[in-house]
Amino acid sequence: MTLLEYNELIKIFAAQDPDLMHTEEQPAVFCCGADEVAAVLRDIAERMVLLLPPYAKIPRDNAAMGNMWFKQGLVIALEFVPVDDSAKKLKVLDKAEQVLDRLYKFLNDYRRQPLVPGISPLAFDPKTWESDSVGPIAENHFGYSAEFVLRDGIRL
């Protein structure tokens, strides 16, 4: 799976998700690095979005099958919370956790049977999923992040 395919797969999930409702006109998925987060979030009103930094990758030995890439993915679900609104903060954290739970299920289902023509099979390792709350980020955005590993053959 390439970085472009990975981004497209997350956008497909976000288009189907009831809390994200990603479209080209109103995107909910943003591929950005840490230095771009504040600029991306500045113009987003009170709605849930996914930040998708490019994955890191390292080669690992796969016994008799040669080397594989271990791609370390990170997804962050965020929404703006007004300062000192602890009730809204709790609701946003709950919603972000649910979005990432649905993403986990989507990736887990996809690895069993490719659902999208033109996107490579996904070797998502469900046992590597780790999630935690995050925030405040940028202008008081809160949510949840998830880290996980995708395995992919090395093609030279």
Side-chain angles (χ1 to χ4, degrees):
M1 173 166 281
T2 67
L3 185 59
L4 289 174
E5 290 173 329
Y6 169 67
N7 277 276
E8 186 61 30
L9 188 62
I10 300 299
K11 287 179 182 178
I12 290 166
F13 160 76
Q16 300 168 3
D17 189 82
D19 288 319
L20 297 171
M21 298 185 295
H22 173 84
T23 65
E24 292 303 316
E25 297 78 31
Q26 188 171 12
V29 177
F30 298 91
C31 182
C32 60
D35 56 335
E36 303 166 296
V37 170
V40 167
L41 294 176
R42 185 177 306 121
D43 298 326
I44 296 174
E46 293 186 27
R47 64 186 178 96
M48 183 72 56
V49 296
L50 292 181
L51 300 182
L52 192 63
Y55 50 67
K57 67 183 196 176
I58 53 175
R60 292 279 191 237
D61 183 52
N62 191 28
M65 297 174 66
N67 289 339
M68 295 191 75
W69 287 119
F70 274 46
K71 298 176 179 179
Q72 299 162 324
L74 170 66
V75 176
I76 306 167
L78 292 171
E79 186 171 320
F80 176 78
V81 176
V83 175
D84 297 329
D85 190 343
S86 58
K88 167 91 182 210
K89 179 179 166 184
L90 187 59
K91 288 179 184 176
V92 165
L93 288 170
D94 183 66
K95 181 165 61 168
E97 179 186 22
Q98 291 178 42
V99 166
L100 292 186
D101 288 352
R102 290 190 296 269
L103 177 59
Y104 176 89
K105 182 183 182 322
F106 176 84
L107 294 174
N108 198 40
D109 290 348
Y110 184 83
R111 77 185 176 98
R112 293 187 184 129
Q113 179 180 355
L115 304 173
V116 181
I119 295 183
S120 302
L122 176 68
F124 165 64
D125 186 345
K127 294 177 185 175
T128 63
W129 185 274
E130 292 184 20
S131 187
D132 200 357
S133 62
V134 295
I137 295 176
E139 301 287 326
N140 221 43
H141 288 75
F142 288 86
Y144 260 79
S145 67
E147 296 181 69
F148 51 91
V149 171
L150 305 171
R151 295 183 179 143
D152 198 5
I154 295 178
R155 295 174 195 88
L156 301 175

